């Protein structure tokens, strides 16, 4: 490339065009030039290969547009027309009716929608649209109820018949230009893109080559052709990632043998005696999986997934005690100090009669305490360590670490797995736990290198939490009345707020200031003076000193405070069975999965739990989300809904953690391809076929793409 700068622009183009490669800057692709290259750059396209992989968002299938004169009653058909009238009106019973009339070459079709107020805002007079649905005659006219809508760009309207790709664009770049560019690029260069799968495999799986697939998506002959091409490219994307995961798993396993921890009947009985209850079916199954892994000689890498309150801690403790019984150390790591302390208190109580040496390691220890703790950890004197991320600092060296449990793993980085060393060159067993029931497709990606155990049941006697949306006004007054009654009868309540402090302090100076309900500090003050006057309130948020956090938590746990006003710091793991009430302020500002997590803090004992979602908006999307929560008690349904509504980032609770290194695949949309990719990838690695010469190009590609991210050094 350096040489290009010595030539004028013209000659540079000539040089490049004679020998283009996939890395050729897009500027030098025929028909692009510097101006368009800049626009393409905004779409993340800088090289020829980027251009070819800029797949259409979808297609416009005009092959089946019906002539209105030929429409048949109640059969699924598509019509095309220009918007000539948009109308909305209120019906009795609070319903709304929206109607959009389109002119299809002189014949009219009306689309109607109930309770879809957005329809009135979304349509503009003069726009060209497609309506797909089952028409019926009404008032001498064809009408479709809730038709599927596709908006046509100005450039689409010229086309008659055929299947057109539709691309994501940027200001200044028109659809027809993009299509022309792509046609050119595919005709000239798609053949340069290497095929990475051996022919035999492609033939059995009936897969087109990558160049063929690129042609099918950019220049589709039919909707089916497009779908087949798209599916192949998405499969490729997912396959490479799944191969990365499979290689990571293999590299972990081949690092060395893991110690064996047998679970004898005696050990099993001794551990079970520590708990005042019988294990649930799900816990028993999880414990069996664990016992088998721990005695296999190979490092366990297992994900334990269960809804909030299912009792994962019990399973973790069981595993840790099995390791300890075999003479090894166990460690459990929690994402917050509050949760680490809670584990400490629970486990410390459980082990009151036992001689297990245990220690809590958080960032709060003084230098001297920490030095002492580290010495006891490395000498092996301590058998069980409970802690926060403080556990994975480089100066923490275990003498003989046998099992690591990571609680609420989704709160840590997505791609990273904490690195622990057993101390004698072998690898410790690993159990990661997550409370958000993660939709399968996300699970296969995020935790795709782990074995899965799911607990499907809850401890007996649990009633699902009654959830209700509470708009401002009389419903609030009634809700507080109810809450006060429950508090008086001995129950406790969380009040959760999205923020710590007020955002605009100047608002307070305005006469009769109306707190917006979002700030924990303001809500705390306000409730103490009004709705909850006379009750004992506590305040907990992340900016308090550690000591104060601890005190607030302890006072609530012991019942000295009846109400804890808090931020989402209580979101994960907190277990206080007597707390049965939760009020979520500004519920609309939380993600669904997060709300489910919050709700999981209550209804953990035998008393009925009540969750009140206070929302200040009537915005339909927000109301829809809150309604989902009202209707579904199970975390799995909530997570699926959240996943569909807001994408993977929200389900995991932290947006940047949800960003997956995928090029074209979409986990919500492409679940079928994901299943295929998953199976193929793990089979290729397990069977050793990936190491054969015919797979070399694919393997090299995977290592180039994911070597650093997935820490695959040594997998080549
Ligand atoms: P999570 O899966 O959300 O981490 P926890 O481990 O905190 O759940 O357990 C939730 C509550 O259920 C705790 O109070 C625990 O003591 C209780 N629990 C766990 N297992 C059982 C069981 N088998 N029977 C009755 N109660 C149980
Ligand atoms: Mg937990």
């Amino acid at each position: 490339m350096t040489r290009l700068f010595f030539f004028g622009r013209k000659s540079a183009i000539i040089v490049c065009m004679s020998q283009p490669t996939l890395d050729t800057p897009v500027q030098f692709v025929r028909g692009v030039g510097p101006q368009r290259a800049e626009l393409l750059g905004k779409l993340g396209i800088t090289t020829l290969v980027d251009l070819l992989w800029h797949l259409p968002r979808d297609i416009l299938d005009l092959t089946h547009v019906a002539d209105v004169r030929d429409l048949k009653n109640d059969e699924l058909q598509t019509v095309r027309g220009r918007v000539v009238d948009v109308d909305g009106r209120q019906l009795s019973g609070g319903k709304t009716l929206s109607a959009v009339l389109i002119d299809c070459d002189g014949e009219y079709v009306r689309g109607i929608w109930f309770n879809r107020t957005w329809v009135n805002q979304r349509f503009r007079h003069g726009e060209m649209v497609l309506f797909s649905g089952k028409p019926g005659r009404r008032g001498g006219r064809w009408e479709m109820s809730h038709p599927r809508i596709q908006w046509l760009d100005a450039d689409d309207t010229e086309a008659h018949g055929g299947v057109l790709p539709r691309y994501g664009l940027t200001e200044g770049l028109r659809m027809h230009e993009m299509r022309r560019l792509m046609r050119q690029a595919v005709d000239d260069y798609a053949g340069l893109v290497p095929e990475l799968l051996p022919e035999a495999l492609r033939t059995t799986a009936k897969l087109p080559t990558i160049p063929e697939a690129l042609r099918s998506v950019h220049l589709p002959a039919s909707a089916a052709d497009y779908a087949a091409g798209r599916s192949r490219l998405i499969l490729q994307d997912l396959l490479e990632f799944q191969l990365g995961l499979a290689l990571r798993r293999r590299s972990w396993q081949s690092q060395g043998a893991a110690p064996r921890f047998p679970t004898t009947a005696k050990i099993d009985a001794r551990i079970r005696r520590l708990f005042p209850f019988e294990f649930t079916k799900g816990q028993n199954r999880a414990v069996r999986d664990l016992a088998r892994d721990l005695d296999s000689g190979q490092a366990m890498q297992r994900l334990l997934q269960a809804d909030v309150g299912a009792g994962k801690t019990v399973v973790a403790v069981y595993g840790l005690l099995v390791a300890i019984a075999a003479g090894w150390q166990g460690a459990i790591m929690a994402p917050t100090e509050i949760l680490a302390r809670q584990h400490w208190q629970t486990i410390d109580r459980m082990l009151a009669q036992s001689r297990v040496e245990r220690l809590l390691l958080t960032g709060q220890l003084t230098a001297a305490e920490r030095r002492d703790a580290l010495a006891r950890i490395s000498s092996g004197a301590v058998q069980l360590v409970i802690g926060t991320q403080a556990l994975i600092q480089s100066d923490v060296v275990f003498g003989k670490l046998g099992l690591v449990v990571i609680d609420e793993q989704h709160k840590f980085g997505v791609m990273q797995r904490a690195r622990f060393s057993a101390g004698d060159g072998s690898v410790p067993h690993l159990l990661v736990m997550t409370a958000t029931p993660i939709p399968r497709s996300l699970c296969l990606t995020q935790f795709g290198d782990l074995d899965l155990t799911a607990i499907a049941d809850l401890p007996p006697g649990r009633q699902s939490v009654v959830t209700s949306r509470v708009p401002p006004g009389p419903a609030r007054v009634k809700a507080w009345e109810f809450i006060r009654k429950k508090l008086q009868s001995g129950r406790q309540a969380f009040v959760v707020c999205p923020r710590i402090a007020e955002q605009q302090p100047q608002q307070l100076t305005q006469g009769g200031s109306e707190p917006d309900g979002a700030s924990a500090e303001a809500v705390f003050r306000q409730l103490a003076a009004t709705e909850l006057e006379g009750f004992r309130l506590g305040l907990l948020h992340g900016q308090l000193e550690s000591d104060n956090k601890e005190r607030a938590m302890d006072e609530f746990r012991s019942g000295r405070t009846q109400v804890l006003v808090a931020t989402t710091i209580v979101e994960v793991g907190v277990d206080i069975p007597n707390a049965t009430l939760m009020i979520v302020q500004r519920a609309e500002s939380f993600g669904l999965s997060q709300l489910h997590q919050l709700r999981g803090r209550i209804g953990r004992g035998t008393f009925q739990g009540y969750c009140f979602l206070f929302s200040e908006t009537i915005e339909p999307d927000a109301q829809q989300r809150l309604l989902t929560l009202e209707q579904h008690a199970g975390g799995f349904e909530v997570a699926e809904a959240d996943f569909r509504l807001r994408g993977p980032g929200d389900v995991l609770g932290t947006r940047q953690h949800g960003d997956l290194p995928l090029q074209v695949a979409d986990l919500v949309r492409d679940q079928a391809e994901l299943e295929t990719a998953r199976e193929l990838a793990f089979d290729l690695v397990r069977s050793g076929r990936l190491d054969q010469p015919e797979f070399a190009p694919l393997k090299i590609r995977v290592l180039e793409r994911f070597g650093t991210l997935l820490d695959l050094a040594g997998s080549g």
Side-chain angles (χ1 to χ4, degrees):
M1 272 311 301
T2 24
R3 272 181 62 214
L4 293 181
F5 295 107
F6 292 94
F7 296 92
R9 176 170 289 148
K10 274 210 175 93
S11 44
I13 293 172
I14 293 163
V15 169
C16 266
M17 294 217 334
S18 58
Q19 298 238 301
T21 70
L22 291 173
D23 295 328
T24 299
V26 71
Q27 173 180 351
F28 303 116
V29 172
R30 189 149 61 101
V32 178
Q35 257 166 8
R36 286 212 182 109
E38 210 180 301
L39 293 173
L40 291 172
K42 291 188 187 156
L43 296 168
I45 302 170
T46 58
T47 62
L48 173 55
V49 72
D50 295 340
L51 182 65
L52 290 169
W53 279 89
H54 183 66
L55 305 192
R57 273 188 286 118
D58 58 4
I59 50 166
L60 191 61
D61 188 354
L62 299 173
T63 45
H64 299 297
V65 172
D67 190 318
V68 175
R69 279 161 284 254
D70 302 334
L71 280 182
K72 293 184 193 65
N73 196 49
D74 207 30
E75 281 180 28
L76 184 63
Q77 291 150 99
T78 299
V79 294
R80 171 164 71 170
R82 188 175 298 281
V83 175
V84 291
D85 191 32
V86 183
D87 181 34
R89 95 179 87 109
Q90 206 73 35
L91 302 178
S92 61
K95 282 189 176 173
T96 63
L97 173 70
S98 308
V100 175
L101 190 68
I102 60 172
D103 172 355
C104 313
D105 298 325
E107 300 284 324
Y108 294 92
V109 175
R110 187 192 305 277
I112 58 161
W113 292 263
F114 292 98
N115 294 332
R116 297 286 188 281
T117 38
W118 56 264
V119 165
N120 297 66
Q121 275 110 58
R122 188 63 182 79
F123 284 90
R124 298 269 168 277
H125 283 249
E127 278 179 331
M128 293 295 291
V129 295
L130 298 181
F131 281 174
S132 305
K134 296 178 177 176
R137 296 293 286 182
R138 260 194 99 189
R141 199 171 268 161
W142 286 110
E143 191 170 274
M144 285 185 186
S145 175
H146 291 237
R148 186 166 98 90
I149 316 154
Q150 280 182 282
W151 278 270
L152 303 188
D153 295 297
D155 298 329
D156 296 329
T157 56
E158 299 137 30
H160 285 276
V163 179
L164 293 173
R166 300 223 281 184
Y167 295 98
L169 296 173
T170 182
E171 172 98 38
L173 191 65
R174 303 267 310 268
M175 189 64 82
H176 72 275
E177 291 177 276
M178 192 69 166
R179 286 183 187 143
R180 208 180 50 232
L181 274 182
M182 281 299 192
R183 174 174 291 277
Q184 197 95 194
V186 170
D187 278 341
D188 294 352
Y189 307 118
L192 293 178
V193 180
E195 174 53 47
L196 296 170
L197 293 181
E199 195 177 337
L201 185 119
R202 265 193 309 102
T203 319
T204 7
K206 296 206 179 59
L207 297 171
T209 63
I210 293 175
E212 283 164 358
L214 285 169
R215 172 166 283 276
S216 297
V217 295
H218 292 300
L219 312 172
S222 64
D225 184 35
Y226 168 78
R230 209 197 60 136
S231 177
R232 167 68 220 267
L233 298 177
I234 285 164
L235 179 70
Q236 187 67 32
D237 189 18
L238 291 166
L239 178 65
E240 289 170 12
F241 185 60
Q242 288 294 329
L243 282 169
L245 291 177
L247 286 173
R248 170 153 84 171
R249 186 181 162 86
R250 184 172 75 178
S251 107
W252 170 293
Q253 284 175 339
S254 64
Q255 267 168 26
R260 279 174 182 272
F261 309 144
T263 308
T264 59
K266 202 168 137 206
I267 291 174
D268 176 79
R270 235 170 47 207
I271 297 174
R272 283 175 196 266
R273 263 208 304 280
L274 296 172
F275 302 96
F277 42 67
E278 296 282 305
F279 288 11
T280 63
K281 247 204 199 111
Q283 284 170 329
N284 273 324
R285 184 141 19 85
V287 158
R288 264 202 308 279
D289 284 351
L290 226 65
R292 185 166 16 80
D293 287 357
L294 291 176
D295 199 21
S296 73
Q298 253 199 349
M300 169 170 74
Q301 296 170 75
R302 190 165 286 279
L303 171 68
L304 177 62
Q305 198 190 329
D307 207 345
V308 286
K312 291 181 293 296
T313 315
V314 170
V315 178
V317 169
Y318 187 101
L320 291 165
L321 292 177
V322 169
I324 290 166
W328 289 69
Q329 292 169 299
I332 177 164
M333 181 163 91
T336 63
E337 207 139 280
I338 290 186
L339 201 51
R341 275 184 53 82
Q342 174 180 291
H343 280 324
W344 170 253
Q345 289 167 354
T346 316
I347 295 173
D348 197 46
R349 204 174 331 115
M350 237 176 244
L351 299 181
Q353 309 301 327
S354 95
R355 289 188 308 270
V356 172
E357 282 295 323
R358 49 201 183 263
L359 181 143
L360 174 66
L361 186 72
T362 68
Q364 273 179 269
L365 300 187
T366 64
E369 286 168 340
R370 184 177 166 83
R371 230 180 358 259
D372 177 56
L374 295 191
R376 291 171 61 214
I377 291 172
S378 70
S379 74
V382 170
Q383 295 165 287
L384 176 58
V385 185
I386 297 164
T388 56
Q389 274 110 315
L391 274 180
I392 45 173
Q393 274 152 24
S394 57
D395 56 346
V396 184
V397 181
F398 284 85
K400 210 179 170 192
L401 182 59
L403 169 62
V404 177
V405 178
I406 301 179
D407 194 15
E408 311 288 357
Q409 152 82 40
H410 62 287
K411 288 280 154 194
F412 296 103
V414 159
M415 285 304 147
Q416 77 225 44
R417 296 265 181 276
R419 295 195 142 255
F420 288 92
S421 151
D424 68 344
S426 66
V427 187
H429 295 276
L430 175 71
L431 176 69
V432 312
M433 311 203 290
T434 161
T436 308
I438 297 168
R440 177 169 164 80
S441 55
L442 197 53
C443 194
L444 283 183
T445 319
Q446 226 76 108
F447 304 109
D449 53 344
L450 305 176
D451 293 315
L452 177 68
T453 296
I455 298 182
D457 48 5
L458 294 174
R462 292 280 169 84
Q463 292 148 304
S464 56
V465 171
V466 174
T467 303
S468 39
R469 291 172 295 166
V470 188
R476 289 263 160 102
V477 179
K478 269 179 66 187
W480 284 119
E481 227 165 78
F482 180 87
I483 292 160
R484 282 191 295 269
K485 248 201 341 258
K486 290 287 172 190
L487 291 173
Q488 276 151 3
S489 75
R491 304 285 77 74
Q492 289 171 282
F494 291 102
V495 178
V496 179
C497 306
R499 279 205 311 276
I500 299 173
E502 270 113 336
Q503 234 158 16
Q504 296 147 310
Q506 73 269 19
Q507 270 188 347
L508 286 176
T509 58
Q510 290 166 11
S513 70
E514 190 66 35
D516 61 1
S519 136
E521 287 174 343
V523 167
F524 173 73
R525 277 198 310 272
Q526 196 219 352
L527 288 180
T530 55
E531 279 88 355
L532 298 182
E533 201 188 340
F535 291 92
R536 301 183 302 278
L537 271 59
L539 176 66
L540 176 66
H541 59 69
Q543 274 172 19
L544 296 178
E545 295 284 318
S546 284
D547 285 357
N548 291 338
K549 267 189 240 173
E550 237 171 72
R551 176 137 29 83
M553 208 60 217
D554 288 346
E555 285 183 343
F556 189 58
R557 201 181 292 284
S558 67
R560 280 196 295 278
T561 48
Q562 297 163 283
V563 179
L564 188 63
V565 180
T567 55
T568 52
I569 195 166
V570 298
E571 179 189 336
V572 291
V574 169
D575 181 41
I576 299 177
N578 190 47
T580 59
L581 301 157
M582 169 160 292
I583 297 95
V584 183
Q585 299 274 351
R586 308 291 308 212
E588 69 274 13
S589 52
F590 296 98
L592 265 187
S593 295
Q594 205 178 9
L595 286 170
H596 180 69
Q597 273 291 327
L598 283 169
R599 177 170 65 175
R601 300 308 111 224
I602 55 170
R604 297 171 76 87
T606 43
F607 294 108
Q608 173 67 53
Y610 299 92
C611 177
F612 300 95
L613 304 172
F614 284 15
S615 66
E616 310 298 326
T617 174
I618 50 163
E619 203 248 314
D621 278 2
Q623 285 302 325
Q624 179 58 44
R625 278 192 292 128
L626 300 183
L627 182 67
T628 308
L629 215 66
E630 201 172 280
Q631 290 171 337
H632 299 288
F636 195 75
E637 291 116 309
V638 171
E640 285 280 354
D642 200 16
F643 190 47
R644 281 194 308 272
L645 289 168
R646 310 232 298 192
D650 257 52
V651 175
L652 296 172
T654 34
R655 215 161 250 296
Q656 87 262 20
H657 289 170
D659 287 345
L660 289 165
L662 295 171
Q663 277 176 330
V664 293
D666 172 328
L667 292 182
V668 180
R669 185 191 59 192
D670 305 324
Q671 299 190 7
E673 285 82 3
L674 177 60
E675 295 289 346
T676 313
R678 165 83 182 175
E679 202 168 308
L680 183 56
F682 276 70
D683 182 56
L684 288 176
V685 170
R686 215 180 296 121
S687 64
R689 279 163 78 201
L690 188 69
D691 304 312
Q692 286 164 13
E694 50 171 357
F695 280 98
L698 181 59
K699 190 167 169 188
I700 289 167
R701 163 91 182 137
V702 172
L703 293 177
E704 276 172 3
R705 198 174 152 193
F706 298 115
T708 313
L709 181 75
L710 296 178
D711 210 357
L712 297 177
S715 304

